[in-house]
Amino acid sequence: MCRSIAMAKENDEALETQFQKGVKRLYEKGIDKIPNKYILPVQERPNNTSQAEPSETCRENIKLPIIDFAELQGSNRPQVLKSLADACKQYGFFQLVNHGIPKDVIRGMVAGLRGFSSFPTRKDRNIVIRHASSGSIGTSFNQNKDNVFCWRDFLKLMCHPLPDVLPSLAFFSHRFQEAGGYLLKTNQILVSNDEVEGLQIQYKDKWVTVESIPNAFVVNVGDHLEIFSNGKYESVLHRVKVNSTKSRISVASLHTLPFKCMVRPWSKLIDAANPRRYKDTNFATFLDYISTRDPKNKEFLD
């Protein structure tokens, strides 16, 4: 092998070792070549023009049903509940308005994440994680198994019960204040994004982009609610398309029963016309399974 080829190979290998450190690290390194680990096969790209997924499907926007939480407390409750049920049946998603979470709390959550992402090195981030007791930072879904990584960096925290997961609360708060942010004390709410579009859902066998509403929460049916409803409400595949001009921050709050609590189809939804469709399971089994599988489909429910 000639010296120039060997050097090029070494450079490629050195670049490939950076992908484990996340998208922000790659950007800070000033790369001029996208690592192969971040390049999707043509047929899986959101803008591909194959018959399996025409490019125009990804340019379609969808207005999700809007549920007014305030009206759930009033005389319109029956009508709102019907609208909620219809949204879960038809879309598996809805947008929640008038939820009672102050705007400054939402802004504080996003500011806290921006502050965290501004930490200059991964070492600083790991200091915060260690003091948070139960958390991790990374990229993609499964860094040991994914063939192609996602264009994202994440901070993942267990947030309930709070005293168990933040034993050093004062330190955590101080480091976030240093970064110009706020303590992430609102992790148990579900925040959609910072109003940069990108969320897409599968609707009628097409990928469509969700039109965001300021200060609204995007709520979706999860796998365990599909199981509990015996398939009446569907857990819909969703993804996020990279925005080429703006950074995007999203906060997903996953609410579930305790790890070992069994979830099964509700007995009142099972009869001769609607036989049981799912096995009993729990959240711990779900997490173990998806950590070893491709997240682009619904293998767990299958």
Side-chain angles (χ1 to χ4, degrees):
M1 182 183 296
C2 70
R3 181 174 176 79
S4 60
I5 295 177
M7 290 180 63
K9 183 177 180 180
E10 288 178 3
N11 290 335
D12 287 345
E13 290 175 351
L15 182 59
E16 290 294 319
T17 63
Q18 297 296 322
F19 60 65
Q20 292 280 3
K21 299 178 181 179
V23 177
K24 183 174 185 289
R25 180 63 177 270
L26 288 174
Y27 172 78
E28 291 172 346
K29 296 288 286 186
I31 64 169
D32 55 11
K33 175 185 176 183
I34 299 176
N36 291 332
K37 198 69 175 180
Y38 283 97
I39 300 177
L40 283 170
V42 173
Q43 66 273 17
E44 295 183 21
R45 297 176 191 173
N47 290 325
N48 91 85
T49 56
S50 68
Q51 291 184 349
E53 186 184 38
S55 60
E56 60 266 25
T57 62
C58 286
R59 290 200 295 268
E60 290 183 7
N61 283 14
I62 189 170
K63 293 182 178 179
L64 292 176
I66 298 173
I67 303 299
D68 190 327
F69 186 77
E71 289 195 358
L72 277 172
Q73 317 303 313
S75 58
N76 287 335
R77 179 178 174 83
Q79 293 89 338
V80 178
L81 285 174
K82 183 180 184 306
S83 297
L84 178 59
D86 290 342
C88 292
K89 289 178 185 177
Q90 295 181 30
Y91 299 91
F93 274 79
F94 58 90
Q95 295 209 59
L96 189 69
V97 299
N98 293 327
H99 40 68
I101 306 299
K103 293 180 182 179
D104 62 338
V105 172
I106 298 175
R107 286 194 293 265
M109 168 73 85
V110 175
L113 286 172
R114 288 195 186 281
F116 179 81
S117 66
S118 72
F119 281 172
T121 67
R122 191 177 181 88
K123 180 180 179 181
D124 288 337
R125 296 182 181 190
N126 283 328
I127 291 174
V128 174
I129 293 299
R130 286 199 299 272
H131 283 264
S133 272
S134 182
S136 61
I137 57 175
T139 187
S140 198
F141 291 96
N142 188 325
Q143 291 180 220
N144 295 320
K145 294 182 179 295
D146 289 354
N147 292 324
V148 180
F149 281 4
C150 297
W151 280 90
R152 68 163 190 170
D153 294 331
F154 68 78
L155 164 65
K156 185 182 296 182
L157 296 173
M158 298 296 296
C159 300
H160 183 79
L162 196 59
D164 291 349
V165 296
L166 288 181
S168 184
L169 197 56
F171 174 86
F172 199 70
S173 177
H174 175 66
R175 289 307 294 265
F176 268 81
Q177 293 293 343
E178 281 185 345
Y182 299 84
L183 174 66
L184 299 187
K185 60 184 178 182
T186 54
N187 263 15
Q188 293 171 325
I189 66 175
L190 191 151
V191 183
S192 58
N193 55 59
D194 60 354
E195 297 176 20
V196 176
E197 284 190 349
L199 175 64
Q200 296 184 331
I201 68 172
Q202 267 198 356
Y203 179 66
K204 295 183 178 180
D205 298 322
K206 297 188 296 185
W207 285 107
V208 293
T209 301
V210 173
E211 292 187 6
S212 61
I213 299 175
N215 300 310
F217 295 167
V218 176
V219 185
N220 68 287
V221 172
D223 286 0
H224 288 88
L225 184 53
E226 178 172 332
I227 292 171
F228 181 75
S229 69
N230 200 37
K232 185 176 182 179
Y233 300 154
E234 184 179 2
S235 175
V236 174
L237 286 173
H238 51 284
R239 68 186 186 187
V240 174
K241 183 180 177 182
V242 172
N243 188 299
S244 61
T245 59
K246 298 179 181 178
S247 62
R248 183 180 187 275
I249 290 180
S250 63
V251 183
S253 179
L254 192 61
H255 295 265
T256 184
L257 294 170
F259 284 99
K260 295 298 183 180
C261 182
M262 298 304 294
V263 179
R264 56 181 60 87
W266 191 25
S267 58
K268 292 186 178 181
L269 296 177
I270 300 174
D271 54 33
N274 299 286
R276 180 186 175 112
R277 296 177 56 189
Y278 305 90
K279 299 177 181 179
D280 294 1
T281 186
N282 57 41
F283 192 56
T285 302
F286 170 78
L287 291 180
D288 288 342
Y289 188 89
I290 64 172
S291 68
T292 64
R293 293 297 190 272
D294 187 338
K296 300 184 186 69
N297 50 45
K298 297 174 65 174
E299 281 189 354
F300 178 75
L301 289 176
D302 293 340

